[in-house]
Amino acid sequence: MDITDTASIEQLFADVKKTYGQIDILVNNTANLSLPDGSVEELTLEMWDNIFQSDLRGTFWAIKTIIPYLRENKNGGAIINIGSMTSCGGDIGATAYSCAKAGVDILTRSVTLQYGKENIRCNCVRPGLIVTPENEPRIPQMLKDIFLDNILVNRYGCPEDIGHLCVYLASDDSAYMSGQVLDMDGGLNSHVPTVAQFRNLKSRTW
């Protein structure tokens, strides 16, 4: 499936419906992190559009396409969007990515508002630094050290952390949860930006 190709998205759902009889859950885990990004001055419209097409447009079209399938179900269904911690604030270089993922946050709440009464729930998970066997060789140690200084647990995130939360949000155990944007970042965005520096100074205040 190509998340930037609307026909490809539509065909995927049609195939799933034909194979399994119904669709209950959508996890929108879409982003192309290899696309060039930058500061406002560095970005071209083509760079901006490419990132939005991958990270927001595809998520929107997947939701739009799946809603009729979920509406057919007696119990509706669950949509889980994968956002990003970058949507919590400005970024030095990932301008378009941050803006696209911020769009995923508000899209989540719009879907909740518009379709919640039809038993269609929608939530968003915002991962922090998730280290995988695939990406670990490409993450500089200095970057990992910066994150670990600011994470409030003693390790990086792993794919299972995100997976377990998605399973919960897709299950009946979370039947009363909708419209939520949940940070799965080890506490990274729960504190002021100067915590790591003050900790190194063994100080609690300036």
Side-chain angles (χ1 to χ4, degrees), residues 1-10 28-32 35 49-62:
M1 189 201 73
D2 180 357
I3 195 62
T4 65
D5 181 355
T6 56
S8 178
I9 296 170
E10 293 163 5
N28 259 323
N29 188 17
T30 60
N32 185 348
L35 293 171
D49 289 344
N50 285 341
I51 290 173
F52 266 70
Q53 183 180 43
S54 168
D55 299 358
L56 182 57
R57 183 174 180 265
T59 294
F60 159 74
W61 198 258

Side-chain angles (χ1 to χ4, degrees), residues 117-185:
K117 293 297 186 180
E118 298 181 63
N119 292 321
I120 296 173
R121 298 186 296 111
C122 189
N123 292 288
C124 178
V125 176
R126 296 195 298 203
L129 178 63
I130 305 299
V131 177
T132 72
E134 180 184 23
N135 70 20
E136 185 167 17
R138 302 195 302 270
I139 303 176
Q141 187 61 46
M142 181 182 295
L143 178 62
K144 289 195 283 189
D145 290 343
I146 290 171
F147 271 89
L148 199 57
D149 277 346
N150 287 279
I151 294 170
L152 303 184
V153 296
N154 292 319
R155 66 173 177 84
Y156 311 111
C158 64
E160 288 79 7
D161 294 321
I162 308 304
H164 291 320
L165 180 54
C166 288
V167 168
Y168 169 70
L169 293 174
S171 74
D172 291 339
D173 290 339
S174 63
Y176 200 55
M177 180 177 287
S178 194
Q180 302 305 304
V181 178
L182 305 168
D183 292 339
M184 180 60 84
D185 61 2

Side-chain angles (χ1 to χ4, degrees), residues 4 17 44 49 58 66 80 87 92 99 110 117 120 125 157 170 197:
T4 65
K17 166 73 173 180
T44 65
D49 289 344
I66 204 172
I80 300 125
S87 68
I92 294 174
C99 291
S110 296
K117 293 297 186 180
I120 296 173
V125 176
Q197 290 86 349

Side-chain angles (χ1 to χ4, degrees), residues 6 71 73 81-82 88 93 146 162 166 174-175 190 192 206:
T6 56
R71 190 179 277 143
N73 302 335
N81 296 322
I82 305 299
C88 300
I146 290 171
I162 308 304
C166 288
S174 63
S190 67
V192 296
W206 58 274

